[in-house]
Amino acid sequence: MHTINPILQEQATASLKQIGLHIQRARKEAFRESREAFSQRLGCAPMTLDRLERGEPGVAAIYLVAALQAMQVLHDAVAATSPALLIATTIPPQFPPGFAGG
């Protein structure tokens, strides 16, 4: 069984929570949509949207991507993962002492 790098897990968890808050604020302030209307636009249950907005890691990635598309920022997120950009800005990965994951 594989174990996620604890440093990456901590950073990813914090990022999911921040993205969830951004999605919630955009839904409420920019789009002025109820959770029911936005979840219907995404094609998910309102409870799934609640979990996404809380940044819960168990939410299927397709709903996160759909929310980014609905917010019209998916292109920017995809562009940020460009191999050319990553090669130009590569930083060696951080591994905690004794971490053997993988």
Side-chain angles (χ1 to χ4, degrees):
M1 178 178 233
H2 296 283
T3 304
I4 188 168
N5 177 328
I7 292 171
L8 295 179
Q9 181 176 6
E10 183 179 327
Q11 292 169 345
T13 299
S15 295
L16 281 173
K17 288 182 187 294
Q18 190 65 47
I19 291 168
L21 287 172
H22 287 181
I23 290 169
Q24 184 180 59
R25 285 191 65 200
R27 172 181 62 79
K28 290 179 176 181
E29 297 173 15
F31 301 112
R32 298 174 195 242
E33 282 188 272
S34 68
R35 65 189 271 277
E36 291 78 12
F38 196 69
S39 63
Q40 185 174 21
R41 199 151 61 100
L42 297 182
C44 68
M47 287 182 65
T48 301
L49 178 59
D50 291 343
R51 292 178 61 224
L52 178 66
E53 289 181 346
R54 284 193 302 266
E56 291 184 16
V59 177
I62 192 70
Y63 296 119
L64 174 59
V65 172
L68 296 176
Q69 179 63 32
M71 295 166 56
Q72 299 181 8
V73 295
L74 180 60
H75 175 75
D76 295 331
V78 171
T81 63
S82 161
L85 176 65
L86 295 172
I87 289 168
T89 60
T90 297
I91 300 170
Q94 297 177 356
F95 295 102
F99 178 73

